[in-house]
């Protein structure tokens, strides 16, 4: 392991080498043109700029060095994504193909294709697996006269595949919005496309012994009905005041936060069982929330599907009005495009979401990757988020529309990584209350502003412990003494306790340091450039190939 002194020496040698290189260039030019003062001054300026940039770029994050010795210093984000980040998203070619045109769909005409698409999905579901395939062209998925219902798939091993999400590819056009379940509740319009599971979670028993963050084994009172390879949900709901205080630390509960006060701390996390022995479950991923058995942690068999892929499709809505937050159900959720729900080891990749209220949500799922997706067109309510899920990766996605809430988390989500995503200076990441935890914004570029996190007052705060901003680049105007836990007179809709801020860059923003959990290198980016990549490499010994390929590939 390279220590701090060796790192400093390496930096110094690196700088000396390039200084020497520039001096050689300088002397060569002087020999040919002694009178060229402008060139000489230009080279000196570039030399100094290069040295300053080199020093800044090489600054190592102390907190990561500490993490190598003590894993409790930071949340462990290395298990997020499809198969815990260890496998590439597969290119499935050996499933039976269900071409929607063989079920009555026809691109580029004036007739709805909604029923034909559902028939193709039903056939693939009945087969037990399948590729629901769309050739190039525009398919109409919610026209006048269509039933006001979602298009639903309830089985696993289904690939929903188009022929490209760009110009000349596959477009699924939603002319009309679906109606809300309750018009007075502006979030209740269902998604047009839902990939989910039938059945419900089954109560097995409860945890009987304490488990610390990072443990891979839990003790339960019974393992009856469970096998290796099964998925479980660990559920906690307890309004013990000491439990609430231990999580919020030095921050106080506000009277309007009735969900936290009356129902309490809510945790619902999903893990796959690796091994069962002597009443102990060994899990594939470590516990991310400390378990104290006095708080009645329930163990449930998780009803889910797996290996669902949504690929190379443009989902296009018909939201054309100027968005006004909470003006109407049509603003907030009228054109909600896609939801993956109750699934594991699944993905959305290379998709586009245009003119929509809500692009896509990952709900009550685990180890899902959303990769290289674009949100554009008319601005709406939400971009892409993880809700009530565990170990979700949102990677190299771009929000050009400036959704009111951009990429983020909601509803008890645990361990989410938003990796190398961008959104405009006019919006901010989402943190939509109902107790999300452990969210990493890693190499993200976009606005930072309070009031854009989201969530009803009764479900506050916006986030619990574990928000990490790592090499976050703020692009909107700077804010002096930016607050994560401001007084009500400053903001009623922005409460995040003890975030970790490392390598934050901006046009000059500063923070109220006493509100931060940990902070380092404010104003200068750090190494490692990506915390997610560094933690994954530390766990596996090397970066998997898909990371290398993704880093090479361009985004939208």
């Amino acid at each position: 392991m390279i220590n701090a002194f060796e790192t400093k020496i390496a930096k110094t040698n690196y700088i000396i080498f390039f200084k020497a290189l520039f001096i050689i260039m300088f002397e060569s030019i002087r020999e040919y043109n002694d009178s060229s003062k402008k060139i000489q001054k230009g080279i000196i300026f570039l030399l100094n700029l290069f040295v300053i940039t080199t020093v800044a770029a090489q600054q190592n994050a102390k907190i990561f060095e500490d993490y190598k010795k003590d894993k409790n210093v930071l949340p462990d984000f290395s298990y997020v994504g499809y198969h815990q980040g260890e496998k590439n998203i597969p290119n499935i070619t050996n499933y039976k193909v269900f071409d929607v045109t063989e079920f009555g769909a026809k691109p580029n005409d004036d007739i709805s294709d909604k029923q034909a698409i559902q028939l193709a999905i039903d056939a693939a579901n009945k087969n037990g697996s399948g590729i629901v395939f769309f050739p190039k062209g525009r398919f109409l998925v919610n026209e006048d006269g269509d039933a006001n219902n979602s298009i639903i798939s309830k089985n696993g091993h289904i690939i929903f595949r188009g022929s490209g999400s760009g110009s000349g590819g596959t477009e699924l056009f939603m002319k009309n919005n679906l109606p809300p379940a309750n018009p007075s509740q502006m979030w209740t319009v269902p998604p047009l496309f839902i990939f989910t599971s039938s059945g419900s979670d089954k109560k097995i028993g409860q945890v009987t012994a304490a488990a610390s963050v990072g443990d891979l084994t839990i003790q339960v009172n019974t393992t009856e009905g469970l096998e290796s390879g099964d998925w479980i949900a660990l559920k906690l709901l307890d309004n013990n005041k000491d439990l609430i205080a231990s999580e919020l630390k030095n921050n106080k509960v506000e009277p309007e936060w009735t969900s936290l006060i009356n129902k309490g701390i809510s945790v619902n996390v999903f893990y796959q069982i690796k091994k069962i022995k002597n009443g102990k479950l060994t899990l594939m991923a470590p516990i991310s929330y400390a378990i104290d058995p006095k708080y009645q942690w329930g163990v449930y068999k998780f009803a889910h599907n797996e290996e669902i892929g949504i690929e190379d499709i443009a989902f296009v809505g018909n939201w054309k009005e100027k968005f006004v937050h909470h003006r109407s159900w049509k603003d907030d959720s009228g054109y909600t495009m896609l939801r993956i729900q109750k699934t594991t080891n699944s993905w959305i990749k290379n998709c586009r979401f245009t003119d929509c209220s809500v692009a896509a949500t990952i709900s009550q799922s685990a180890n899902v990757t959303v990769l290289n997706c674009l949100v554009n067109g008319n601005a709406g309510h939400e971009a892409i988020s993880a809700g009530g899920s565990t170990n979700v990766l949102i990677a190299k996605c771009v929000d050009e529309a400036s959704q009111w809430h951009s990429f983020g988390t909601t509803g008890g989500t645990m361990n989410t990584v938003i990796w190398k995503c961008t959104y405009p200076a006019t919006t901010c990441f989402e943190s939509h209350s109902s107790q999300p935890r452990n969210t990493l914004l890693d190499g993200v570029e976009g606005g930072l502003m309070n009031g854009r996190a989201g969530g009803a007052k009764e479900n506050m705060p916006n986030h619990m412990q574990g928000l990490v901003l790592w090499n976050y680049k703020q692009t909107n105007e700077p804010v002096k003494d930016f607050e994560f836990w401001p007084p009500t007179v400053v903001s009623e809709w922005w409460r995040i306790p003890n975030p970790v801020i490392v390598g934050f860059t901006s046009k000059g923003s500063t923070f109220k340091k006493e509100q931060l959990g940990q902070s380092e290198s404010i104003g200068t980016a750090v190494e490692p450039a990506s915390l997610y990549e560094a933690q994954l490499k530390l766990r596996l010994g090397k970066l998997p190939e898909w990371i290398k390929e993704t880093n090479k590939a361009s985004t939208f």
Side-chain angles (χ1 to χ4, degrees), residues 254-391:
E254 297 181 18
E256 296 85 358
W257 301 354
T258 53
S259 180
L260 185 60
I261 294 169
N262 298 330
K263 296 179 182 179
I265 295 295
S266 175
V267 181
N268 186 15
V269 286
F270 306 105
Y271 297 100
Q272 189 173 22
I273 300 171
K274 183 177 183 179
K275 184 174 65 175
I276 302 175
K277 186 177 181 180
N278 298 328
K280 292 184 178 181
L281 305 180
T282 300
L283 308 175
M284 297 287 289
I287 295 295
S288 50
Y289 193 100
I291 294 175
D292 186 334
K294 75 179 180 183
Y295 294 125
Q296 303 297 312
W297 283 81
V299 180
Y300 295 75
K301 188 172 183 178
F302 180 35
H304 71 287
N305 283 320
E306 61 183 2
E307 303 292 342
I308 294 170
I310 318 296
E311 307 174 347
D312 300 301
I313 295 175
F315 296 86
V316 180
N318 198 25
W319 171 244
K320 296 296 185 181
E321 298 179 40
K322 180 176 175 58
F323 175 81
V324 177
H325 194 226
H326 294 339
R327 174 178 59 185
S328 69
W329 59 262
K330 189 176 286 189
D331 286 85
D332 283 10
S333 62
Y335 289 90
T336 298
M337 304 307 297
L338 173 65
R339 177 188 296 159
I340 286 184
Q341 181 177 6
K342 301 188 74 173
T343 72
T344 63
N345 291 324
S346 298
W347 66 90
I348 305 170
K349 71 172 185 178
N350 303 334
C351 289
R352 171 167 56 90
F353 302 89
T354 302
D355 295 340
C356 57
S357 307
V358 180
T361 55
I362 313 303
S363 177
Q364 301 174 64
S365 297
N367 292 101
V368 175
T369 291
V370 183
L371 176 64
N372 197 36
C373 290
L374 172 66
V375 182
N376 68 357
N378 190 33
H381 192 197
E382 299 176 56
I384 300 171
S385 65
S389 297
T390 304
N391 287 331

Side-chain angles (χ1 to χ4, degrees), residues 219-273:
Q219 181 78 48
V220 295
N221 64 336
T222 178
T223 61
E224 186 176 353
L226 295 177
E227 298 178 356
S228 298
D230 285 344
W231 284 78
I232 60 169
L234 296 179
K235 301 184 182 184
L236 167 71
L237 185 62
D238 198 306
N239 69 346
N240 182 284
K241 291 182 179 179
D242 291 338
L243 179 61
I244 295 171
S246 68
E247 180 150 4
L248 289 182
K249 299 189 186 304
N250 56 320
N251 301 292
K252 303 299 182 183
V253 177
E254 297 181 18
E256 296 85 358
W257 301 354
T258 53
S259 180
L260 185 60
I261 294 169
N262 298 330
K263 296 179 182 179
I265 295 295
S266 175
V267 181
N268 186 15
V269 286
F270 306 105
Y271 297 100
Q272 189 173 22
I273 300 171

